[in-house]
Amino acid sequence: MRVFIELPTWLGDSVMASAAIENIVANYKEAKITFFGKAAACELFSALPNCELLITDNSKSSKSRLLWLYSLAKKLQNYDIALSFRSHFASKFLLFFIKAKKKALFKYQKNELHQVEKYLNFVNLALKLKSLNKALKLHFAPYSYTRQTLGLNPGASYGSAKRWGAEKFAALASALASKYDIIIFGAKGEEEICAKISAILEQSNIAHQNLCAKTSIKELAQHIAGLSLFITNDSGPMHIASAFGVKTLAIFGPTNWIETAPYDKENSRILRLNLPCSPCMKRVCPLGHHACMDKLTAQVALAKLSELGIKPS
């Protein structure tokens, strides 16, 4: 059984697709899977035992995206199944030319199901699978820390509207510093906000590590997996923490918490305000006040952490 899977565009969506991918493997234990997508998304599944091949999607940087995809499809071997977790025209084009007995393309759904469940429903209905798995899973070994460790993730690739203030992340970390070692995580392009948090902590003589833009996706997942607590914006790393059952405080402003909250509800809590303008789903606050994030204080966050059994020193 050979399976071709085009992964979602965003890192977080790819993590959320892992439950559906695990269900494919649970139903077809001998499946050999080719993953296609952005380099970061593909790396998430590099340790999956059923992974046969990873192909990075470089079509956007080519002179002709469609010609690049056509050439790729013609080079690939035959598949029993070809799936895409994307729904744009380029994905339809690629699947049309891939040689596979069964093909299926995810279709955007306007409902309030969690995105994990949307992906599960897509795969199970398209392939008529038994529901043998509903959990997120990434096949990386957690990093082993010597002490309880708190991870901060102040970035969010979607846009500035999803980001809580650096001062608030630093204040929350300061309140917990006696109980935890502290690590700041971030991707390339998020160095400024991570450096700002680091500078505030340094001024208070609080020891910490700033790993922003210093980890591969595998290393990021391993480090997050070993954490005792993760405080994060709505982001890809948030979903990685959920896949490993890490206690997580997720800060939501303009995005839809119903569809993209941490899927592990037992070990996570959402910090958000019930404002009439939220969720607006905009990259930058269209009203100019960013109230959905700015009015969320570090003290409110500390109170929410108590629901996970965590209290400041």
Side-chain angles (χ1 to χ4, degrees), residues 226-252:
L227 293 173
S228 307
L229 175 63
F230 195 47
I231 299 171
T232 176
N233 296 322
D234 175 20
S235 61
M238 178 192 76
H239 294 293
I240 291 174
S242 188
F244 287 102
V246 175
K247 286 187 177 182
T248 300
L249 179 65
I251 303 158
F252 273 73

Side-chain angles (χ1 to χ4, degrees), residues 11-207:
L11 181 70
D13 283 21
S14 292
V15 179
M16 288 190 283
S18 69
I21 292 167
E22 285 295 321
N23 200 45
I24 292 173
V25 172
N27 280 269
Y28 303 117
K29 298 187 186 299
E30 303 303 318
K32 296 181 179 180
I33 304 176
T34 295
F35 290 101
F36 173 71
K38 288 187 175 181
C42 286
E43 191 175 348
L44 282 174
F45 298 95
S46 60
L48 178 70
N50 299 73
C51 176
E52 181 181 36
L53 181 65
L54 301 174
I55 303 175
T56 301
D57 182 0
N58 293 318
S59 62
K60 285 187 177 181
S61 61
S62 65
K63 291 183 179 179
S64 170
R65 185 179 190 186
L66 296 183
L67 180 58
W68 191 96
L69 292 171
Y70 173 79
S71 298
L72 172 66
K74 290 301 180 182
K75 292 176 185 176
L76 294 173
Q77 299 178 30
N78 292 358
Y79 291 94
D80 296 286
I81 298 169
L83 300 174
S84 175
F85 284 97
R86 302 180 191 176
S87 55
H88 50 64
F89 175 77
S91 298
K92 295 178 183 177
F93 182 89
L94 175 63
L95 283 195
F96 179 83
F97 288 104
I98 283 181
K99 299 178 286 293
K101 297 174 185 177
K102 176 70 177 180
K103 302 179 184 182
L105 184 86
F106 178 77
K107 294 181 180 179
Y108 175 74
Q109 305 163 26
K110 291 184 178 180
N111 57 44
E112 292 196 334
L113 283 177
H114 196 283
Q115 191 64 37
V116 171
E117 293 164 8
K118 292 181 182 182
Y119 287 148
L120 279 165
N121 289 343
F122 156 60
V123 167
N124 292 349
L125 288 172
L127 304 180
K128 298 180 181 178
L129 300 182
K130 295 179 181 178
S131 186
L132 302 178
N133 177 80
K134 294 184 178 180
L136 304 180
K137 187 169 183 179
L138 298 175
H139 293 257
F140 297 122
Y143 185 85
S144 180
Y145 296 101
T146 56
R147 293 185 68 236
Q148 286 197 113
T149 303
L150 162 65
L152 306 177
N153 181 55
S157 59
Y158 182 76
S160 62
K162 290 176 70 172
R163 297 180 181 179
W164 206 39
E167 297 85 356
K168 296 176 182 179
F169 272 102
L172 201 50
S174 298
L176 298 167
S178 65
K179 293 185 175 182
Y180 299 92
D181 286 343
I182 298 168
I183 299 179
I184 304 168
F185 297 99
K188 188 175 180 180
E190 298 170 353
E191 292 93 343
E192 184 177 351
I193 189 170
C194 291
K196 191 171 184 179
I197 295 170
S198 180
I200 295 171
L201 294 178
E202 284 179 3
Q203 289 172 4
S204 301
N205 294 316
I206 295 174

